[in-house]
């Protein structure tokens, strides 16, 4: 009789589990947030295993980004990638470094003096965050997410930070995300003909939608289903850029319309309103 009672209890527990599947919020997925911070980049990629930021907007954006991250439940960063040293990409980094534990920072290896870069380096030293000044391509894994950082194939001319942009490629759940920083002109051309696999499902368009003569070639090899543009109502993507995108018919998501939130789960991409 006792054994029969235990079997019945076990069956009831199994039935209860069947009636209450795991909450979809805890299901394994990748979320991309492109924050609306004007004509600037501030992107969060998070999974159940890691939280990664790519760039941090402008000066004054840092505190708002910290608040946004905490509202999403992000209390630490496993990786912060700073694609290049323009102020609209590193401006908020000092606030993030002061406010959140960061396991590692990756930045380009080129040297260029600026107020924002000086503030950034001071905060890094104060927080004692491990830093890699990237001189070669690197691939790392965070659970189910494989993340690659590519260095620019273009030598620094002392002027164009954009041409030194680090490129980030993420593989997750059979989907590919490609983040192009502000790559333009020579870097875009070099990447297109580099032999690297630029094919992707989601493309973070380079340089805020500023038109580039090599944009068509980039789109022709990338063939993205979705394109994210970090622009603003004041400085929207250029019309010629939009016309070029129309030739490839991707879904276009612009931060000028507010934060962009995309989920990759079970091999499906969902744009969240």
């Amino acid at each position: 009789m006792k054994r029969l009672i235990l079997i019945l209890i076990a069956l009831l527990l199994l039935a209860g589990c069947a009636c209450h599947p795991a909450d979809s919020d805890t299901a394994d997925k990748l979320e991309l947030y492109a924050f609306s911070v004007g004509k600037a980049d501030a992107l969060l990629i998070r999974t159940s295993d890691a939280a990664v930021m790519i760039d941090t907007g402008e000066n004054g954006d840092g505190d708002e980004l910290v608040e946004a991250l905490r509202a999403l439940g992000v209390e630490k960063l496993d990786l912060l990638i700073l694609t290049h040293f323009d102020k609209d990409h590193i401006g908020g980094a000092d606030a993030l470094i002061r406010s959140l534990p960061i396991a590692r920072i990756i930045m380009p290896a080129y040297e260029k003096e600026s107020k924002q870069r000086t503030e950034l380096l001071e905060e890094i030293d104060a927080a004692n965050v491990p830093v890699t000044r990237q001189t070669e391509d690197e691939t790392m894994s965070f659970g189910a997410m494989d993340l690659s950082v590519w260095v620019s194939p273009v030598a620094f001319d002392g002027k164009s930070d954009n041409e030194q942009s680090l490129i980030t490629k993420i593989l997750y759940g059979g989907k590919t995300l490609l983040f192009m920083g502000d790559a333009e002109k020579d870097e875009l051309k070099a990447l297109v003909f580099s032999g690297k696999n630029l094919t992707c499902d989601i493309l973070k368009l380079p340089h805020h939608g500023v038109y580039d003569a090599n944009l068509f070639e980039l789109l022709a090899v990338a063939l993205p289903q979705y394109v994210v543009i970090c622009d603003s109502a004041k400085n929207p993507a250029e019309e010629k850029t939009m016309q070029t995108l129309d030739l490839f018919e991707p879904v276009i998501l612009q931060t000028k319309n507010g934060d962009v939130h995309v989920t990759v789960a079970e091999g499906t991409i969902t744009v969240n309103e």
Side-chain angles (χ1 to χ4, degrees):
M1 177 64 72
K2 183 177 179 181
R3 185 170 181 273
L4 179 59
I5 292 172
L6 290 174
I7 291 172
L8 289 172
I9 291 173
L11 289 171
L12 288 171
L13 289 172
L14 287 172
C17 290
C19 293
H20 299 284
D23 190 325
S24 61
D25 286 342
T26 64
D28 203 15
K29 60 187 176 183
L30 177 147
E31 291 182 285
L32 163 63
Y33 293 86
F35 296 108
S36 181
V37 289
K39 187 183 177 183
D41 280 18
L43 303 117
L44 168 70
I45 303 96
R46 71 168 180 177
T47 68
S48 59
D49 297 297
V52 177
M53 280 288 293
I54 301 177
D55 292 327
T56 60
E58 298 191 68
N59 281 343
D61 292 330
D63 291 337
E64 291 184 10
L65 287 174
V66 170
E67 290 180 10
L69 293 176
R70 287 177 171 161
L72 293 170
V74 177
E75 295 293 339
K76 66 181 181 68
L77 293 175
D78 297 277
L79 181 64
L80 170 60
I81 300 171
L82 300 173
T83 60
H84 61 297
F85 297 128
D86 277 354
K87 63 182 181 180
D88 55 336
H89 290 255
I90 66 169
D94 52 350
L96 263 68
I97 295 167
R98 283 195 302 271
S99 304
L100 297 173
I102 301 175
R104 181 187 179 192
I105 296 175
I106 288 177
M107 62 176 66
Y110 75 95
E111 300 288 339
K112 187 174 182 181
E113 295 302 319
S114 71
K115 177 184 176 182
Q116 288 78 21
R117 184 171 179 273
T118 298
E119 292 174 348
L120 166 65
L121 296 178
E122 289 174 351
E123 290 296 339
I124 288 173
D125 288 342
N128 197 28
V129 181
V131 175
T132 301
R133 297 174 184 268
Q134 209 73 25
T135 58
E136 59 184 9
D137 298 349
E138 179 181 356
T139 298
M140 62 204 81
S141 294
F142 299 94
M145 176 172 65
D146 292 332
L147 185 152
S148 297
V149 177
W150 299 337
V151 300
S152 173
V154 178
F156 185 48
D157 61 4
K159 298 177 182 179
S160 179
D161 293 67
N162 290 348
E163 300 279 29
Q164 296 304 300
S165 292
L166 296 176
I167 310 301
T168 304
K169 181 178 181 178
I170 292 176
L171 304 178
Y172 182 90
K175 300 298 182 183
T176 303
L177 298 82
L178 189 63
F179 302 85
M180 298 296 296
D182 272 0
E184 59 178 344
K185 299 177 184 176
D186 295 338
E187 185 175 7
L188 282 184
K189 184 176 181 179
L191 286 168
V192 166
F193 292 100
S194 67
K196 292 182 182 295
N197 185 356
L198 300 177
T199 305
C200 60
D201 300 284
I202 301 174
L203 174 69
K204 201 293 294 185
L205 203 70
H207 204 192
H208 317 290
V210 174
Y211 179 74
D212 189 280
N214 294 303
L215 177 60
F216 182 91
E217 285 77 8
L218 171 64
L219 294 170
V221 297
L223 295 174
Q225 299 176 43
Y226 297 83
V227 168
V228 177
I229 306 177
C230 296
D231 60 356
S232 67
K234 183 178 179 180
N235 294 290
E238 293 182 2
E239 183 61 30
K240 197 168 183 179
T241 294
M242 302 304 289
Q243 292 171 353
T244 304
L245 286 170
D246 285 344
L247 298 175
F248 295 88
E249 300 183 337
V251 176
I252 300 173
L253 307 169
Q254 296 174 260
T255 58
K256 73 170 188 175
N257 301 319
D259 292 349
V260 171
H261 179 200
V262 178
T263 301
V264 178
E266 299 181 348
T268 301
I269 297 173
T270 303
V271 178
N272 304 283
E273 298 296 332

